[in-house]
Amino acid sequence: MTEQPLPSVVPPGERARFSLTVNGDEMVVEAEARRSLADVLREECGLTGTHLGCEHGVCGACTVLLDGRPVRSCLMLGVQAGGAAITTVEGLADGPAADAAYHPVQQAMHDAHGFQCGFCSPGFLLTAAAYLERRPDATRDDVREELSGNLCRCTGYASIIDGVLVALDRQEEQA
Ligand code: FES
Ligand code: FES
């Protein structure tokens, strides 16, 4: 029996043209249709703050916000984000705290010495920034659980959780 080739959903080499809003800037991207959103952001948009660790959805280093919600940009195609608003770590400081040098989570993490090498930090920062908006009443255990999908090889996590709690406390003081 002759083996039939599997149907290809995205033929190799096929290119796609789509628009994205990235960190508030509207842009039209032309890229191979099979490219992940992470690759599109890094290679077509030049935003290398989105890091790639495992490239299969485990480590969370590639997390970006898609219409305000954290997603793993290694697990979706760039074309699937067509029409959406993406926030990468490069756009975080221009978000809710436009007057601040850093986003409050960035500042809190800096003050709490949250990170070491920083490879995991973009994913943690974006996950935490979205969480703080959604759960201003979160406890330490809540934060630990929310961040459990992001991996860090350096810190042992305590300092990262401390940083998010500093941001939560400051948020509460300003409320
Ligand atoms: Fe996307 Fe690890 S690189 S989850
Ligand atoms: Fe190095 Fe998290 S600070 S991987």
Side-chain angles (χ1 to χ4, degrees):
M1 193 169 106
T2 316
E3 207 170 290
Q4 296 294 317
L6 289 172
S8 166
V9 177
V10 180
E14 182 170 301
R15 294 187 74 77
R17 191 177 160 85
F18 50 96
S19 59
L20 290 173
T21 301
V22 184
N23 300 331
D25 294 330
E26 284 181 36
M27 52 181 76
V28 175
V29 174
E30 193 179 323
E32 270 192 81
R34 66 176 181 87
R35 303 224 85 176
S36 69
L37 176 59
D39 284 344
V40 167
L41 290 169
R42 289 176 57 84
E43 294 172 28
E44 309 300 329
C45 305
L47 297 169
T48 54
T50 299
H51 291 169
L52 278 167
C54 66
E55 297 193 64
H56 62 269
V58 174
C59 73
C62 65
T63 302
V64 299
L65 302 184
L66 179 98
D67 293 331
R69 301 172 70 111
V71 297
R72 312 227 148 176
S73 61
C74 71
L75 285 187
M76 62 183 291
L77 298 173
V79 290
Q80 290 178 297
I86 308 291
T87 304
T88 69
V89 72
E90 289 92 342
L92 202 48
D94 296 323
D99 294 332
Y102 291 129
H103 183 282
V105 177
Q106 289 172 311
Q107 186 64 57
M109 213 57 90
H110 175 269
D111 296 343
H113 305 287
F115 296 115
Q116 291 182 28
C117 80
F119 188 84
C120 65
S121 59
F124 273 104
L125 288 168
L126 289 158
T127 303
Y131 189 59
L132 257 59
E133 284 194 19
R134 210 168 73 244
R135 284 292 313 277
D137 59 338
T139 65
R140 187 177 189 90
D141 283 347
D142 295 334
V143 171
R144 185 190 301 277
E145 186 174 338
E146 177 68 13
L147 298 184
S148 63
N150 290 67
L151 303 184
C152 172
R153 299 302 299 270
C154 302
T155 63
Y157 301 99
S159 59
I160 297 176
I161 293 165
D162 287 346
V164 177
L165 291 171
V166 168
L168 272 168
D169 284 346
R170 290 177 181 168
Q171 186 169 277
E172 195 176 317
E173 281 165 18
Q174 288 166 8

